[in-house]
């Protein structure tokens, strides 16, 4: 039977794995921040890995959730500011 995730390019997942496993909570925070700013890293690859590390006892649950949440919120903030500056009225005027 084929590996169920054999279609995934593991060269894309390896940097995420390294960032989270070496960086701990800071790695989770940074990966989630980057995921929201440039959106080339799926959060679906970050948080399950962090959850696995929690299950292995390498990270604690609440700080992991807090780091992921903080990274997501701060990562979406630049997009919020762009939306605030380039609002609907400015888009309709062009």
């Amino acid at each position: 039977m084929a590996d169920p995730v054999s279609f995934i390019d593991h060269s894309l997942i390896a940097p995420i794995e390294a960032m989270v496993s070496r960086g701990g909570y800071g790695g989770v925070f940074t990966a989630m921040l980057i995921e929201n700013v440039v959106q080339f890293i799926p959060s679906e690859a970050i948080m399950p890995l962090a959850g696995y590390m929690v299950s292995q006892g390498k990270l604690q649950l609440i700080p992991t959730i807090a780091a992921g949440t903080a990274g997501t919120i701060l990562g979406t903030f630049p997009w919020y500011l762009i939306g605030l500056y380039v609002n609907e009225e400015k888009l309709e005027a062009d």
Side-chain angles (χ1 to χ4, degrees):
M1 182 174 183
D3 181 14
V5 292
S6 61
F7 64 92
I8 296 175
D9 184 0
H10 293 285
S11 66
L12 298 175
I13 303 298
I16 299 167
E17 183 180 0
M19 185 181 300
V20 173
S21 63
R22 291 184 191 143
Y25 307 116
V28 172
F29 173 85
T30 303
M32 292 299 287
L33 182 115
I34 292 170
E35 183 268 333
N36 281 287
V37 172
V38 293
Q39 301 185 356
F40 68 89
I41 301 174
S43 61
E44 293 83 0
I46 300 165
M47 293 311 288
L49 176 60
Y52 176 74
M53 292 181 67
V54 167
S55 75
Q56 296 295 309
K58 296 176 182 175
L59 296 174
Q60 297 296 314
L61 179 63
I62 300 302
T64 302
I65 293 171
T69 302
T72 295
I73 291 170
L74 288 176
T76 57
F77 193 67
W79 295 113
Y80 168 76
L81 292 176
I82 290 169
L84 190 64
Y85 178 73
V86 182
N87 57 30
E88 190 174 337
E89 292 82 24
K90 288 181 182 178
L91 290 174
E92 289 177 356
D94 291 335

